[in-house]
Amino acid sequence: MEGSVTDSPYRLLLRAASLIPASHFFVAALFASVIFLYSFLEAHFLHDLLNGFRGDPVSINCDSSSRLFHSVVSKCRTLHGRYLATPWLCSPHLQTAFLSFMGRSPDFIYRRRLFHTSDRGTIALDWLLSSDVMEDSASMVQDNQIHDETPILIVIPGLTSDSESSYIKHLVYTMARSGWNVVVSNHRGLGGITITSDCFYNAGWTKDIEEVVNHLHQHHLEASLFVVGTSIGANVLVKYLGEQGENVPIMGAAAICSPWDLLICDRFINRRPVQKMYDKVLTIGLQGYAKLHQTIMSRLANWDGIVKSRSVREFDNHATRILGKYETVDTFYRRCSSSIFVGKVSVPLLCISALDDPVCTSEAIPWDECRANKNIVLATTPHGGHLGFYEGITARRLWWVRAVSEFLGILQSSQSMRRRAVAQAPLPSALESSVDQGPYINVDEDGMVAAVGDEQANCTVEDTTKDTILTQPSVRYTEEGPAPIKAWLSRFSRPSNISIALLAYIAMVTTWPLIGPALLLAIKRKFKKGMPSMALKRS
């Protein structure tokens, strides 16, 4: 009795636990591990299960009264539908990891062309033509036959990614199968190309894409240009569009999983242990990039600091900041963030982000700025990870690739895009009179003349039967009168019998109401004066 009283409660618990079968402990440990992993991986399988595996609706953030929404976005079924992640990839981390390690990308071969920048840098342009993926091998074309009206899509990869990245190949192959000529503009030093100048790319370096776009625009004048940027490439794209404003030969663009605000993303990626894992992986990738070009990098940057870097911020402090000539890392992040350029974007832009992105946090999304710009459509999904968005039970498709393909396809064929193409027609030469550039007038059938602005004069109407663009009738007003009236008069001013007779007839008809009565009155007076003299002669 005394021994039982002196036993501690912990000893009693141990005795009771020893009576529980070991299999029960195993089940309990397994259950606890599943709960921990479910929470750690931010899985949403139960959410999808309770939702009947119908997926979550895509949230569209834009100006619903804009022309872009009515002419393009309203026709995109993908953006107005739902996104359901692959059931066995029901986690942003699983989506991102599967994309990096597995990918399941299509197999094809690029056509490579080297582009040399103004500072003697070298960029690898990897092409995949629409004819390259046709089933009929007889439709294959040669390198010198790219010059046609087929739309061209320029792809900007993410950080340390190139044309061989799985998500890039998914996009390239899908767009080529849809009838596009696709070119991947690899970053400097990537894609198996060495650095040939002292310039390196970074999250805000827009000079390369500017030169590539201008080069393609000059050599493919009949083709419409579109751009898709992913991750850091999306940040570069939005910043480039904002810097150029109206002076950009781009018809449309898409930014996928953009970091938007580099300073916020830097704070986010060092916040939790799982985010620090991504930070470490990205740092290793940057160090590998630096080692590929150690000869130049060690001469221009702090090589010892690069090797010892344990985070992206440390790498940027020892390399990116120095190469880009920024005072501090925060200065680099602030000046290169694309969020401050959103308001100046002047071309149709589709932005896609996942709210559970483990790398580019949704906290950095400029919601209000995107909504205020009528040229931007922001589509967000609750799930998808970073550039993942796998869908289907076999995980062979990326939802964002399907959304981009549909959006750009409708945009390319829409009336709004064609209006922009007419508005971007070459300007007249300096020898033409400045008066010939406007204002404009419309001449109706009843002779009424109405002045119109440039927007109405440049408005186009799509003729679906002939697949051509017809401009609405507009008349340019010159110093000598409306141009069509001037041409009409000059046609009848030529010395010919028909024109003289016709002008005489017009003059007679238009002046008869005034001259006719006066002529009749004069005849009557002359007739009355002649009557007395004739009577005298008879008498």
Side-chain angles (χ1 to χ4, degrees):
M1 185 68 179
E2 182 178 359
S4 60
V5 175
T6 58
D7 287 343
S8 66
Y10 297 104
R11 185 175 298 178
L12 295 175
L13 289 176
L14 290 175
R15 290 180 181 177
S18 63
L19 300 177
I20 300 176
S23 59
H24 292 191
F25 286 104
F26 176 77
V27 173
L30 181 62
F31 183 75
S33 301
V34 170
I35 295 177
F36 173 78
L37 289 176
Y38 191 89
S39 176
F40 181 80
L41 296 177
E42 303 177 52
H44 47 83
F45 180 81
L46 294 179
H47 170 79
D48 295 340
L49 178 63
L50 296 176
N51 200 26
F53 291 103
R54 295 185 300 114
D56 295 294
V58 180
S59 177
I60 301 178
N61 184 66
C62 68
D63 186 354
S64 59
S65 63
S66 64
R67 180 181 300 175
L68 176 63
F69 181 85
H70 289 285
S71 61
V72 180
V73 179
S74 61
K75 303 177 183 179
C76 296
R77 295 183 178 181
T78 304
L79 296 180
H80 290 279
R82 292 172 171 265
Y83 167 66
L84 174 63
T86 300
W88 47 277
L89 292 177
C90 55
S91 164
H93 309 292
L94 293 179
Q95 290 258 1
T96 306
F98 187 81
L99 179 67
S100 300
F101 297 105
M102 301 296 293
R104 292 189 176 181
S105 58
D107 186 21
F108 57 85
I109 301 176
Y110 290 103
R111 301 166 180 246
R112 169 156 294 188
R113 291 185 174 181
L114 298 182
F115 174 72
H116 301 283
T117 62
S118 58
D119 63 346
R120 298 181 180 180
T122 304
I123 297 176
L125 300 180
D126 291 335
W127 287 84
L128 182 67
L129 307 184
S130 60
S131 57
D132 294 340
V133 295
M134 297 298 178
E135 296 181 359
D136 185 8
S137 59
S139 62
M140 298 289 289
V141 297
Q142 301 298 327
D143 289 346
N144 57 357
Q145 296 179 339
I146 302 178
H147 303 275
D148 55 17
E149 297 181 357
T150 304
I152 297 177
L153 177 66
I154 307 170
V155 181
I156 310 176
L159 187 67
T160 67
S161 297
D162 56 18
S163 58
E164 292 297 328
S165 299
S166 58
Y167 66 92
I168 296 294
K169 299 188 74 173
H170 274 285
L171 174 64
V172 171
Y173 185 79
T174 300
M175 297 303 296
R177 292 282 295 178
S178 301
W180 294 64
N181 291 335
V182 188
V183 53
V184 181
S185 178
N186 294 283
H187 298 295
R188 298 191 183 205
L190 292 174
I193 302 299
T194 59
I195 296 292
T196 58
S197 68
D198 290 346
C199 290
F200 288 78
Y201 84 97
N202 57 54
W205 182 257
T206 59
K207 297 297 182 181
D208 288 349
I209 187 60
E210 178 182 356
E211 293 192 21
V212 169
V213 169
N214 293 337
H215 168 76
L216 295 177
H217 179 60
Q218 293 174 1
H219 288 76
H220 305 274
L221 295 176
E222 298 180 356
S224 302
L225 298 183
F226 298 80
V227 185
V228 173
T230 57
S231 192
I232 289 296
N235 188 82
V236 173
L237 170 61
V238 177
K239 184 173 181 288
Y240 160 73
L241 295 177
E243 290 175 344
Q244 298 298 316
E246 296 286 346
N247 302 320
V248 58
I250 300 298
M251 296 300 174
I256 313 301
C257 296
S258 174
W260 296 109
D261 193 312
L262 302 178
L263 191 59
I264 294 179
C265 288
D266 173 65
R267 303 293 190 268
F268 171 78
I269 208 171
N270 288 282
R271 183 180 303 172
R272 299 172 56 190
V274 64
Q275 267 71 44
K276 292 182 179 180
M277 293 174 56
Y278 290 100
D279 188 25
K280 182 63 176 178
V281 172
L282 293 175
T283 304
I284 295 175
L286 290 172
Q287 290 175 330
Y289 170 76
K291 291 179 180 178
L292 291 176
H293 314 288
Q294 180 177 354
T295 304
I296 301 178
M297 188 77 74
S298 60
R299 176 170 55 88
L300 300 176
N302 182 6
W303 182 254
D304 292 336
I306 293 175
V307 175
K308 298 178 181 179
S309 296
R310 294 295 178 266
S311 65
V312 175
R313 184 180 182 86
E314 292 182 6
F315 181 90
D316 289 337
N317 182 49
H318 297 297
T320 311
R321 176 188 65 83
I322 299 175
L323 296 172
K325 299 180 180 180
Y326 294 97
E327 295 84 359
T328 63
V329 178
D330 286 353
T331 302
F332 162 63
Y333 290 157
R334 289 191 180 96
R335 292 182 182 177
C336 294
S337 296
S338 60
S339 58
I340 61 178
F341 297 91
V342 170
K344 299 179 181 179
V345 175
S346 61
V347 301
L349 174 64
L350 171 64
C351 304
I352 296 179
S353 294
L355 299 183
D356 63 353
D357 193 320
V359 179
C360 300
T361 174
S362 59
E363 300 173 7
I365 298 178
W367 301 93
D368 294 338
E369 290 82 351
C370 291
R371 186 183 300 108
N373 192 329
K374 295 183 177 181
N375 297 311
I376 296 180
V377 177
L378 174 62
T380 58
T381 59
H383 312 294
H386 186 67
L387 298 174
F389 295 89
Y390 279 100
E391 61 180 355
I393 193 65
T394 59
R396 293 189 178 277
R397 296 183 304 174
L398 304 183
W399 175 86
W400 69 265
V401 172
R402 182 160 58 92
V404 169
S405 177
E406 183 183 33
F407 175 82
L408 295 183
I410 297 176
L411 179 63
Q412 195 272 334
S413 60
S414 67
Q415 183 176 355
S416 61
M417 192 281 296
R418 295 175 186 267
R419 286 174 179 168
R420 180 172 178 82
V422 174
Q424 290 184 346
L427 296 176
S429 61
L431 296 178
E432 296 183 13
S433 173
S434 60
V435 182
D436 292 340
Q437 310 311 316
Y440 303 97
I441 62 173
N442 276 347
V443 181
D444 297 335
E445 295 180 356
D446 56 358
M448 296 297 294
V449 179
V452 298
D454 293 349
E455 294 181 0
Q456 183 174 352
N458 290 334
C459 183
T460 62
V461 180
E462 182 177 3
D463 184 1
T464 56
T465 60
K466 297 182 180 180
D467 195 23
T468 57
I469 300 302
L470 306 177
T471 57
Q472 291 182 353
S474 60
V475 183
R476 291 191 176 183
Y477 190 83
T478 64
E479 295 178 353
E480 300 179 19
I485 298 177
K486 176 183 175 182
W488 181 75
L489 291 176
S490 63
R491 179 182 303 176
F492 292 105
S493 65
R494 300 171 183 174
S496 63
N497 295 331
I498 297 178
S499 61
I500 295 175
L502 184 59
L503 290 176
Y505 172 76
I506 295 174
M508 182 182 297
V509 172
T510 55
T511 58
W512 177 255
L514 297 177
I515 300 178
L519 183 61
L520 291 175
L521 181 61
I523 293 175
K524 289 181 179 180
R525 290 181 178 178
K526 186 175 183 180
F527 180 76
K528 290 180 180 181
K529 291 180 180 180
M531 287 298 294
S533 59
M534 293 178 64
L536 291 174
K537 289 181 180 180
R538 291 179 180 179
S539 61

